[in-house]
Coordinates of all heavy atoms in Angstrom, one line a residue:
M18 N 129.5 181.1 -41.4 CA 128.2 181.7 -41.2 C 127.3 180.9 -41.9 O 127.3 180.4 -43.0 CB 128.2 183.1 -41.7 CG 126.9 183.7 -41.7 SD 127.0 185.5 -42.3 CE 127.7 186.2 -40.8
R19 N 126.2 180.6 -41.2 CA 125.0 180.0 -41.7 C 124.0 181.1 -42.0 O 123.4 181.9 -41.3 CB 124.3 179.0 -40.7 CG 123.2 178.2 -41.3 CD 123.6 177.2 -42.3 NE 122.5 176.4 -42.7 CZ 122.4 176.0 -43.9 NH1 123.3 176.0 -44.8 NH2 121.2 175.3 -44.2
L20 N 123.6 181.1 -43.4 CA 122.5 182.0 -43.9 C 121.2 181.2 -44.1 O 121.3 180.1 -44.7 CB 122.9 182.6 -45.2 CG 124.2 183.5 -45.1 CD1 124.5 184.0 -46.5 CD2 123.9 184.7 -44.1
L21 N 120.1 181.7 -43.7 CA 118.8 181.0 -43.8 C 117.9 181.9 -44.5 O 117.9 183.2 -44.2 CB 118.2 180.7 -42.4 CG 119.0 179.8 -41.6 CD1 118.3 179.7 -40.2 CD2 119.2 178.4 -42.2
Y22 N 117.2 181.5 -45.5 CA 116.3 182.4 -46.4 C 114.8 181.8 -46.1 O 114.7 180.6 -46.2 CB 116.7 182.3 -47.8 CG 118.1 182.6 -48.0 CD1 119.0 181.7 -48.6 CD2 118.6 183.9 -47.7 CE1 120.3 181.9 -48.9 CE2 120.0 184.2 -48.0 CZ 120.7 183.2 -48.5 OH 122.1 183.5 -48.7
F23 N 113.8 182.7 -45.9 CA 112.5 182.3 -45.7 C 111.5 183.1 -46.6 O 111.9 184.1 -47.1 CB 112.1 182.7 -44.3 CG 112.9 181.8 -43.3 CD1 114.0 182.2 -42.6 CD2 112.4 180.5 -42.9 CE1 114.6 181.5 -41.7 CE2 113.0 179.7 -42.0 CZ 114.2 180.3 -41.4
A24 N 110.5 182.4 -46.8 CA 109.3 182.9 -47.7 C 109.8 183.5 -49.0 O 110.3 182.7 -49.7 CB 108.6 184.2 -46.8
S25 N 109.4 184.6 -49.5 CA 109.6 185.0 -50.8 C 111.1 185.2 -51.0 O 111.6 185.0 -52.2 CB 109.0 186.3 -51.1 OG 109.4 187.4 -50.2
V26 N 111.9 185.4 -50.0 CA 113.4 185.4 -50.2 C 113.9 184.1 -50.6 O 114.6 184.0 -51.5 CB 114.2 185.9 -49.0 CG1 115.5 185.9 -49.1 CG2 113.6 187.3 -48.7
R27 N 113.5 183.0 -49.9 CA 113.8 181.7 -50.3 C 113.3 181.2 -51.7 O 114.1 180.7 -52.4 CB 113.2 180.6 -49.3 CG 113.6 179.3 -49.5 CD 112.8 178.2 -48.6 NE 111.4 178.2 -48.9 CZ 110.6 178.3 -48.0 NH1 110.9 178.4 -46.7 NH2 109.3 178.3 -48.3
Q28 N 112.2 181.7 -52.0 CA 111.6 181.3 -53.3 C 112.3 182.0 -54.5 O 112.6 181.4 -55.4 CB 110.1 181.8 -53.4 CG 109.2 181.0 -52.5 CD 107.8 181.5 -52.4 OE1 107.5 182.7 -52.7 NE2 106.8 180.7 -52.1
T29 N 112.8 183.3 -54.2 CA 113.5 183.9 -55.3 C 114.9 183.3 -55.4 O 115.3 183.1 -56.6 CB 113.6 185.4 -55.0 OG1 112.2 185.9 -55.0 CG2 114.4 186.2 -56.1
I30 N 115.6 183.2 -54.3 CA 116.9 182.7 -54.3 C 117.0 181.2 -54.7 O 117.9 180.8 -55.4 CB 117.6 182.9 -53.0 CG1 117.8 184.4 -52.8 CG2 119.0 182.2 -53.0 CD1 118.5 184.8 -51.5
G31 N 116.0 180.5 -54.4 CA 115.9 179.1 -54.8 C 116.4 178.1 -53.7 O 116.5 176.9 -54.1
I32 N 117.0 178.5 -52.6 CA 117.5 177.7 -51.6 C 117.1 178.1 -50.3 O 116.8 179.3 -50.1 CB 119.1 177.6 -51.6 CG1 119.7 178.9 -51.6 CG2 119.6 176.8 -52.9 CD1 121.2 178.8 -51.4
S33 N 117.0 177.2 -49.3 CA 116.6 177.6 -48.0 C 117.7 178.1 -47.0 O 117.5 178.8 -46.1 CB 115.8 176.5 -47.2 OG 116.7 175.4 -47.1
G34 N 118.9 177.9 -47.5 CA 120.1 178.3 -46.7 C 121.4 177.9 -47.2 O 121.4 177.1 -48.3
E35 N 122.4 178.4 -46.8 CA 123.8 178.0 -47.3 C 124.9 178.5 -46.1 O 124.5 179.3 -45.3 CB 124.1 178.7 -48.5 CG 124.1 180.3 -48.5 CD 124.4 180.9 -49.8 OE1 125.3 180.5 -50.5 OE2 123.6 181.9 -50.3
D36 N 125.9 178.0 -46.3 CA 127.1 178.2 -45.4 C 128.0 179.1 -46.2 O 128.3 178.7 -47.3 CB 127.7 177.0 -44.8 CG 126.9 176.3 -43.9 OD1 126.2 176.8 -43.0 OD2 126.8 175.0 -44.1
V37 N 128.5 180.3 -45.6 CA 129.4 181.1 -46.4 C 130.5 181.6 -45.4 O 130.2 181.7 -44.1 CB 128.7 182.4 -47.0 CG1 127.8 182.0 -48.0 CG2 128.2 183.2 -45.9
A38 N 131.7 181.9 -45.9 CA 132.7 182.5 -45.0 C 132.4 184.1 -45.1 O 132.2 184.7 -46.2 CB 134.1 182.2 -45.5
L39 N 132.4 184.6 -44.0 CA 132.1 186.2 -43.9 C 133.3 186.8 -44.7 O 134.5 186.6 -44.4 CB 132.0 186.5 -42.5 CG 131.5 188.0 -42.2 CD1 130.1 188.1 -42.7 CD2 131.7 188.4 -40.7
P40 N 132.9 187.6 -45.6 CA 134.0 188.3 -46.5 C 134.8 189.3 -45.7 O 134.2 190.0 -44.7 CB 133.1 189.0 -47.5 CG 131.8 188.4 -47.5 CD 131.6 187.8 -46.2
A41 N 135.9 189.5 -45.9 CA 136.7 190.6 -45.3 C 136.2 191.9 -45.4 O 135.6 192.2 -46.4 CB 138.2 190.6 -45.9
G42 N 136.1 192.6 -44.3 CA 135.5 194.0 -44.4 C 134.1 194.1 -44.1 O 133.5 195.1 -43.9
V43 N 133.5 192.8 -43.8 CA 132.0 192.9 -43.6 C 131.9 192.5 -42.1 O 132.3 191.4 -41.6 CB 131.2 191.7 -44.3 CG1 129.7 191.7 -43.9 CG2 131.3 192.2 -45.9
G44 N 131.3 193.5 -41.3 CA 131.2 193.3 -39.9 C 129.8 193.5 -39.3 O 129.6 193.3 -38.1
D45 N 128.9 193.9 -40.2 CA 127.4 194.1 -39.7 C 126.5 193.6 -40.6 O 126.8 193.0 -41.7 CB 127.3 195.5 -39.3 CG 127.4 196.5 -40.4 OD1 127.3 196.0 -41.6 OD2 127.6 197.7 -40.2
A46 N 125.2 193.4 -40.2 CA 124.2 192.8 -41.1 C 124.0 193.7 -42.4 O 123.7 193.1 -43.4 CB 122.9 192.8 -40.3
A47 N 124.1 195.0 -42.4 CA 123.9 195.8 -43.5 C 125.1 195.5 -44.5 O 124.8 195.3 -45.8 CB 123.9 197.2 -43.2
G48 N 126.2 195.2 -44.1 CA 127.4 194.8 -45.0 C 127.2 193.6 -45.6 O 127.5 193.4 -46.7
L49 N 126.6 192.7 -44.8 CA 126.4 191.3 -45.3 C 125.3 191.3 -46.3 O 125.5 190.7 -47.4 CB 125.8 190.4 -44.1 CG 125.5 189.0 -44.6 CD1 126.7 188.2 -45.1 CD2 124.9 188.3 -43.4
V50 N 124.3 192.1 -46.2 CA 123.1 192.2 -47.1 C 123.7 192.8 -48.5 O 123.5 192.4 -49.6 CB 122.1 192.9 -46.7 CG1 121.0 193.3 -47.8 CG2 121.3 192.2 -45.5
A51 N 124.7 193.9 -48.3 CA 125.2 194.5 -49.5 C 126.1 193.5 -50.2 O 126.1 193.5 -51.4 CB 126.0 195.7 -49.0
W52 N 126.9 192.7 -49.5 CA 127.7 191.7 -50.2 C 126.9 190.7 -50.9 O 127.2 190.3 -52.0 CB 128.6 191.0 -49.1 CG 129.4 189.8 -49.7 CD1 130.5 190.0 -50.5 CD2 129.0 188.6 -49.5 NE1 130.9 188.7 -50.8 CE2 130.1 187.8 -50.3 CE3 128.1 187.8 -48.7 CZ2 130.2 186.4 -50.3 CZ3 128.2 186.4 -48.9 CH2 129.1 185.8 -49.5
L53 N 125.7 190.3 -50.3 CA 124.9 189.3 -51.0 C 124.3 189.9 -52.2 O 124.2 189.2 -53.2 CB 123.8 188.9 -50.0 CG 124.3 187.9 -48.9 CD1 123.2 187.7 -47.8 CD2 124.6 186.6 -49.4
Q54 N 123.9 191.1 -52.2 CA 123.3 191.8 -53.3 C 124.2 192.0 -54.4 O 123.9 191.8 -55.5 CB 122.8 193.3 -52.8 CG 121.6 193.3 -52.0 CD 121.4 194.9 -51.4 OE1 122.3 195.5 -51.3 NE2 120.1 195.1 -51.2
A55 N 125.6 192.2 -54.1 CA 126.6 192.4 -55.1 C 126.8 191.0 -55.8 O 127.5 191.0 -56.9 CB 127.9 192.8 -54.5
R56 N 126.4 189.9 -55.3 CA 126.6 188.6 -55.9 C 125.7 188.6 -57.2 O 125.9 187.8 -58.0 CB 126.1 187.5 -54.9 CG 127.0 187.2 -53.8 CD 126.5 186.3 -52.8 NE 127.0 184.9 -52.9 CZ 126.6 183.8 -52.2 NH1 125.7 184.0 -51.3 NH2 127.2 182.8 -52.4
G57 N 124.8 189.5 -57.2 CA 123.9 189.7 -58.4 C 122.9 188.6 -58.6 O 122.6 187.8 -57.6
G58 N 122.3 188.6 -59.8 CA 121.3 187.5 -60.2 C 120.2 187.5 -59.1 O 119.5 188.5 -58.7
V59 N 119.9 186.2 -58.6 CA 118.8 186.1 -57.8 C 118.9 186.7 -56.4 O 117.9 187.0 -55.8 CB 118.3 184.5 -57.6 CG1 117.9 183.9 -58.8 CG2 119.6 183.7 -57.0
Y60 N 120.1 186.8 -56.1 CA 120.4 187.5 -54.7 C 120.0 189.0 -54.8 O 119.4 189.6 -53.9 CB 121.9 187.4 -54.3 CG 122.2 186.1 -54.0 CD1 122.8 185.2 -54.9 CD2 122.0 185.4 -52.6 CE1 123.2 183.8 -54.6 CE2 122.5 184.2 -52.3 CZ 122.9 183.4 -53.3 OH 123.2 182.0 -53.0
A61 N 120.4 189.6 -55.9 CA 120.0 191.1 -56.1 C 118.6 191.2 -56.2 O 118.0 192.1 -55.6 CB 120.7 191.6 -57.3
D62 N 117.8 190.2 -56.9 CA 116.4 190.4 -57.0 C 115.8 190.1 -55.6 O 114.8 190.8 -55.3 CB 115.9 189.2 -58.0 CG 116.3 189.4 -59.4 OD1 116.7 190.5 -59.7 OD2 116.3 188.4 -60.2
A63 N 116.2 189.2 -54.8 CA 115.5 188.8 -53.6 C 115.8 189.8 -52.4 O 115.0 190.1 -51.6 CB 115.9 187.5 -53.1
L64 N 117.0 190.5 -52.5 CA 117.4 191.3 -51.5 C 117.6 192.9 -51.9 O 118.1 193.7 -51.1 CB 118.8 190.9 -50.9 CG 118.8 189.5 -50.4 CD1 120.2 189.0 -50.2 CD2 117.9 189.2 -49.3
G65 N 117.2 193.2 -53.1 CA 117.2 194.5 -53.6 C 116.5 195.6 -52.8 O 117.0 196.8 -52.7
D66 N 115.3 195.3 -52.3 CA 114.6 196.3 -51.6 C 114.8 196.1 -50.1 O 114.0 195.4 -49.5 CB 113.1 196.3 -52.1 CG 112.3 197.3 -51.4 OD1 112.8 198.1 -50.6 OD2 111.1 197.3 -51.6
T67 N 115.6 196.7 -49.5 CA 116.0 196.4 -48.1 C 114.8 196.9 -47.2 O 114.8 196.5 -46.0 CB 117.3 197.1 -47.7 OG1 117.3 198.4 -48.0 CG2 118.4 196.3 -48.4
S68 N 114.0 197.8 -47.7 CA 112.8 198.2 -46.8 C 111.9 197.1 -46.8 O 110.9 197.1 -45.8 CB 112.2 199.5 -47.5 OG 111.4 199.2 -48.6
R69 N 111.9 196.1 -47.6 CA 111.1 195.0 -47.4 C 111.8 193.7 -46.9 O 111.5 192.5 -47.3 CB 110.5 194.7 -48.7 CG 109.6 195.9 -49.2 CD 108.4 195.7 -50.1 NE 107.7 194.4 -49.9 CZ 106.7 194.3 -48.9 NH1 106.3 195.2 -48.1 NH2 106.1 193.0 -48.8
L70 N 112.9 193.9 -46.2 CA 113.8 192.8 -45.7 C 113.8 192.9 -44.1 O 114.1 194.0 -43.6 CB 115.1 193.0 -46.4 CG 116.1 191.8 -46.0 CD1 115.6 190.5 -46.7 CD2 117.5 192.2 -46.7
R71 N 113.7 191.7 -43.6 CA 113.9 191.7 -42.1 C 115.0 190.8 -41.9 O 115.3 189.9 -42.7 CB 112.7 191.2 -41.3 CG 111.5 192.1 -41.5 CD 111.7 193.5 -40.9 NE 110.6 194.4 -41.2 CZ 110.5 195.3 -42.2 NH1 111.5 195.4 -42.9 NH2 109.5 196.1 -42.2
I72 N 115.8 190.9 -40.8 CA 117.0 190.3 -40.5 C 116.9 189.7 -39.0 O 116.5 190.4 -38.1 CB 118.2 191.1 -40.7 CG1 118.3 191.7 -42.0 CG2 119.6 190.3 -40.2 CD1 119.4 192.9 -42.1
A73 N 117.3 188.5 -38.8 CA 117.5 188.0 -37.4 C 118.9 187.4 -37.3 O 119.4 186.7 -38.3 CB 116.6 186.9 -37.1
V74 N 119.7 187.7 -36.2 CA 120.9 187.2 -36.1 C 120.8 186.4 -34.8 O 120.4 186.8 -33.7 CB 122.1 188.4 -35.9 CG1 123.3 187.8 -35.5 CG2 122.1 189.2 -37.1
N75 N 121.1 185.0 -35.0 CA 121.1 184.1 -33.9 C 119.7 184.1 -33.3 O 119.5 184.1 -32.1 CB 122.2 184.3 -32.9 CG 123.6 184.2 -33.5 OD1 123.8 183.2 -34.3 ND2 124.5 185.1 -33.1
Q76 N 118.7 184.2 -34.2 CA 117.3 184.0 -33.8 C 116.8 185.2 -33.0 O 115.7 185.1 -32.4 CB 116.9 182.8 -33.0 CG 117.4 181.5 -33.9 CD 117.0 180.3 -33.2 OE1 116.3 180.2 -32.2 NE2 117.4 179.1 -33.8
V77 N 117.4 186.4 -33.1 CA 117.0 187.6 -32.5 C 116.9 188.7 -33.5 O 117.8 188.9 -34.3 CB 118.0 188.1 -31.4 CG1 117.7 189.5 -30.8 CG2 118.1 187.1 -30.3
H78 N 115.7 189.4 -33.6 CA 115.6 190.4 -34.6 C 116.6 191.4 -34.5 O 117.1 191.8 -33.5 CB 114.2 191.0 -34.4 CG 113.7 192.0 -35.5 ND1 114.0 193.3 -35.7 CD2 113.1 191.7 -36.6 CE1 113.6 193.8 -36.7 NE2 112.9 192.8 -37.4
A79 N 117.1 191.8 -35.7 CA 118.3 192.7 -35.8 C 118.2 193.8 -36.8 O 117.1 193.7 -37.6 CB 119.5 191.8 -36.2
D80 N 119.1 194.8 -36.8 CA 119.0 195.8 -37.9 C 120.3 195.8 -38.5 O 121.2 195.0 -38.2 CB 118.6 197.2 -37.2 CG 119.6 197.6 -36.3 OD1 120.8 197.3 -36.1 OD2 119.2 198.6 -35.5
G81 N 120.5 196.7 -39.4 CA 121.6 196.8 -40.2 C 123.0 196.9 -39.5 O 124.1 196.5 -39.9
A82 N 122.8 197.6 -38.4 CA 124.1 197.9 -37.5 C 124.4 196.7 -36.7 O 125.5 196.7 -35.9 CB 123.8 199.0 -36.6
T83 N 123.7 195.5 -36.6 CA 124.0 194.5 -35.7 C 125.2 193.9 -36.2 O 125.3 193.5 -37.3 CB 122.8 193.5 -35.7 OG1 121.6 194.2 -35.3 CG2 123.1 192.3 -34.8
P84 N 126.2 193.6 -35.3 CA 127.4 192.9 -35.8 C 127.1 191.5 -36.1 O 126.3 190.9 -35.6 CB 128.4 193.0 -34.4 CG 127.7 194.1 -33.5 CD 126.2 194.0 -33.9
V85 N 128.0 191.0 -37.1 CA 127.9 189.6 -37.4 C 129.3 189.0 -37.5 O 130.3 189.7 -37.8 CB 127.2 189.4 -38.8 CG1 125.7 189.8 -38.8 CG2 127.8 190.2 -39.9
T86 N 129.4 187.8 -37.2 CA 130.8 187.0 -37.3 C 130.5 185.7 -38.0 O 129.3 185.3 -38.3 CB 131.2 186.7 -35.9 OG1 130.4 185.7 -35.3 CG2 131.3 188.0 -35.0
D87 N 131.5 185.0 -38.3 CA 131.5 183.7 -39.0 C 130.7 182.7 -38.2 O 130.3 181.7 -38.7 CB 133.0 183.2 -39.2 CG 133.5 183.6 -40.6 OD1 132.6 183.7 -41.5 OD2 134.6 183.8 -40.7
D88 N 130.6 182.9 -36.8 CA 129.9 181.9 -36.1 C 128.4 182.1 -36.0 O 127.8 181.3 -35.2 CB 130.5 182.0 -34.6 CG 132.0 181.5 -34.6 OD1 132.4 180.7 -35.4 OD2 132.7 182.1 -33.8
D89 N 127.8 183.1 -36.6 CA 126.5 183.5 -36.5 C 125.6 182.7 -37.4 O 126.1 182.3 -38.6 CB 126.3 185.0 -36.7 CG 126.8 185.7 -35.5 OD1 126.8 185.3 -34.4 OD2 127.3 186.9 -35.8
E90 N 124.3 182.8 -37.1 CA 123.2 182.3 -38.0 C 122.5 183.6 -38.4 O 122.0 184.2 -37.4 CB 122.3 181.3 -37.3 CG 121.1 180.9 -38.0 CD 120.2 180.1 -37.3 OE1 119.3 180.6 -36.6 OE2 120.3 178.8 -37.4
V91 N 122.3 183.8 -39.6 CA 121.6 185.0 -40.0 C 120.4 184.6 -40.9 O 120.6 183.8 -41.9 CB 122.5 186.0 -40.8 CG1 121.7 187.2 -41.3 CG2 123.7 186.5 -39.9
A92 N 119.3 185.0 -40.6 CA 118.1 184.7 -41.3 C 117.6 186.0 -42.0 O 117.7 187.0 -41.4 CB 116.9 184.2 -40.3
L93 N 117.2 185.8 -43.3 CA 116.6 186.9 -44.0 C 115.3 186.6 -44.5 O 115.0 185.4 -45.1 CB 117.6 187.1 -45.2 CG 119.0 187.5 -44.9 CD1 119.9 187.4 -46.1 CD2 119.2 188.9 -44.3
F94 N 114.3 187.6 -44.4 CA 112.9 187.2 -44.6 C 112.1 188.4 -44.9 O 112.5 189.5 -44.4 CB 112.3 186.3 -43.5 CG 112.5 187.0 -42.1 CD1 111.5 187.8 -41.5 CD2 113.7 186.6 -41.4 CE1 111.7 188.3 -40.3 CE2 113.8 187.2 -40.2 CZ 112.9 188.1 -39.6
P95 N 111.1 188.3 -45.5 CA 110.2 189.6 -45.7 C 109.4 189.9 -44.5 O 109.3 189.1 -43.6 CB 109.3 189.2 -46.9 CG 109.1 187.7 -46.7 CD 110.4 187.2 -46.2
P96 N 108.9 191.1 -44.4 CA 108.0 191.4 -43.2 C 106.9 190.4 -43.1 O 106.3 190.0 -44.2 CB 107.5 192.8 -43.5 CG 108.3 193.3 -44.5 CD 108.8 192.2 -45.3
M97 N 106.6 190.1 -42.0 CA 105.5 189.1 -41.8 C 104.2 189.8 -41.4 O 104.2 190.8 -40.7 CB 105.8 188.2 -40.6 CG 107.1 187.4 -40.8 SD 106.9 186.3 -42.3 CE 108.4 185.3 -42.1
T98 N 103.1 189.3 -41.7 CA 101.7 189.7 -41.4 C 101.0 188.6 -40.6 O 101.3 187.5 -40.9 CB 100.9 190.2 -42.6 OG1 100.7 189.1 -43.4 CG2 101.6 191.3 -43.3
G99 N 100.1 189.0 -39.8 CA 99.5 188.1 -39.0 C 98.0 188.1 -39.4 O 97.5 189.1 -40.0
G100 N 97.2 187.2 -38.8 CA 95.8 187.3 -38.9 C 95.1 186.0 -38.7 O 95.6 185.0 -38.4

């Protein structure tokens, strides 16, 4: 799985992306975020407030119930504002 981090999520974690193997028992975006939070440190800091987190799976906006697999690209980013 390819994880991409944008904006403040990227700044807090300190990298723009990484490749990970999907952990056993994780089958949706919410489970993935929970696994990342459990890594602690900068991941818990960046992803702790899920109300301020947006997810895209394979470049399509997703929610926590969206299924994820090892072949997916998952992007995590804060809400965007326009202007």
Side-chain angles (χ1 to χ4, degrees):
M18 166 178 287
R19 181 73 181 149
L20 298 176
L21 302 174
Y22 308 118
F23 293 95
S25 62
V26 175
R27 180 186 68 227
Q28 290 172 339
T29 302
I30 292 175
I32 56 175
S33 61
E35 63 184 313
D36 294 313
V37 299
L39 191 62
V43 174
D45 60 22
L49 176 64
V50 170
W52 174 75
L53 289 167
Q54 290 169 331
R56 292 170 101 179
V59 294
Y60 293 94
D62 293 342
L64 306 171
D66 182 359
T67 56
S68 71
R69 302 211 30 89
L70 183 66
R71 299 297 178 261
I72 303 167
V74 177
N75 300 322
Q76 300 182 9
V77 176
H78 192 270
D80 63 22
T83 302
V85 295
T86 70
D87 270 324
D88 296 325
D89 290 330
E90 174 189 85
V91 177
L93 302 167
F94 50 93
M97 302 295 189
T98 60

